Amino acid sequence: EIVMTQSPATLSVSPGERATLSCRASQSVSSNLAWYQQKPGQAPRLLIYGASTRATGIPARFSGSGSGTEFTLTISSLQSEDFAVYYCQQYNNWPPLFTFGPGTKVDIK
Amino acid sequence: QVQLQESGPGLVKPSETLSLTCTVSGGSVSSGSYYWSWIRQPPGKGLEWIGYIYYSGSTNYNPSLKSRVTISVDTSKNQFSLKLSSVTAADTAVYYCARVSYDYHGHYYFDYWGQGTLVTVSS
């Protein structure tokens, strides 16, 4: 079973600053990784898939990178609407099995 | 615009079976381009994938829940359903249905989600 970890658990950032979130897999998942944003009381929203491809309608300030076991989500200049919890999610094997990371909460500094 | 909507009882007694249905609009569960999935989130905690189904009826489940989960599809109603047996308080969660898409690179992702429904397990 592949275990996902995310760091930090909480990231305090000022509006306009850059935020860098990390996700690590216990074994290689190639580029089979997605990122989601979740705000209180809402369903998660897809941001990135294939480690680096932005989903439809996602602003360019969100970018993903990495492959293998180390991945990063970068928000270049935090807007007020970006304060939320961010989850990474991997899939592996065929048929695919999915695992989510524990999440990183981005809050206002 | 694809929309998914969960429905079902909000309260289930311990040891009984949790049953939820997801109604899809703006898209078809019969499409061979997608899988249809259930995901849950205990209050204040993270996301847990439960399983998915293809229009043909083929399924795949989270190994940790496999012995208790059944996902089925009703193409005539454009719905898919979840049954989780022998529930305990640990199964209390917001349950989401979601669409699984994939691209030509073989990347899979959950692109459309329902709003979620809270199911509480309590006597």
Side-chain angles (χ1 to χ4, degrees):
Chain A
E1 178 191 352
I2 296 179
V3 177
M4 306 302 291
T5 56
Q6 292 186 242
S7 61
T10 302
L11 184 62
S12 297
V13 185
S14 299
E17 288 187 342
R18 182 186 192 92
T20 302
L21 289 67
S22 295
C23 175
R24 175 176 293 179
S26 60
Q27 63 189 74
S28 177
V29 298
S30 186
S31 60
N32 299 331
L33 188 106
W35 290 93
Y36 301 83
Q37 176 194 68
Q38 187 179 34
K39 297 178 181 179
Q42 296 185 15
R45 177 175 72 143
L46 175 68
L47 298 175
I48 302 285
Y49 64 92
S52 61
T53 302
R54 269 190 305 276
T56 302
I58 301 303
R61 64 180 182 272
F62 291 92
S63 63
S65 63
S67 65
T69 61
E70 303 279 346
F71 300 89
T72 300
L73 175 70
T74 301
I75 311 171
S76 60
S77 176
L78 268 159
Q79 306 299 301
S80 57
E81 62 266 30
D82 299 336
F83 293 97
V85 179
Y86 292 82
Y87 294 95
C88 61
Q89 166 251 307
Q90 70 83 25
Y91 58 89
N92 69 309
N93 300 325
W94 176 260
L97 302 176
F98 300 95
T99 309
F100 289 92
T104 290
K105 182 179 181 181
V106 177
D107 64 15
I108 300 174
K109 187 174 182 180
Chain B
Q1 177 78 348
V2 176
Q3 293 186 324
L4 296 88
Q5 178 67 59
E6 306 88 352
S7 59
L11 181 65
V12 180
K13 289 182 169 55
S15 79
E16 294 189 344
T17 296
L18 177 160
S19 296
L20 295 174
T21 295
C22 182
T23 301
V24 179
S25 58
S28 173
V29 298
S30 299
S31 169
S33 298
Y34 309 106
Y35 294 77
W36 304 93
S37 188
W38 289 96
I39 296 154
R40 70 180 183 178
Q41 184 172 37
K45 297 187 178 181
L47 300 163
E48 180 180 34
W49 171 69
I50 299 171
Y52 62 72
I53 191 164
Y54 195 50
Y55 79 101
S56 62
S58 63
T59 56
N60 200 17
Y61 301 134
N62 186 323
S64 69
L65 298 170
K66 188 173 184 177
S67 64
R68 299 193 292 130
V69 174
T70 302
I71 297 176
S72 59
V73 65
D74 186 337
T75 55
S76 67
K77 295 182 178 179
N78 216 28
Q79 296 175 334
F80 61 105
S81 298
L82 168 70
K83 291 188 185 299
L84 181 66
S85 64
S86 305
V87 297
T88 68
D91 295 309
T92 293
V94 174
Y95 285 76
Y96 295 100
C97 57
R99 189 180 81 171
V100 184
S101 288
Y102 55 91
D103 66 9
Y104 58 89
H105 293 296
H107 296 137
Y108 290 77
Y109 46 90
F110 303 98
D111 59 351
Y112 286 95
W113 297 64
Q115 65 186 25
T117 186
L118 175 63
V119 179
T120 302
V121 178
S122 175
S123 56

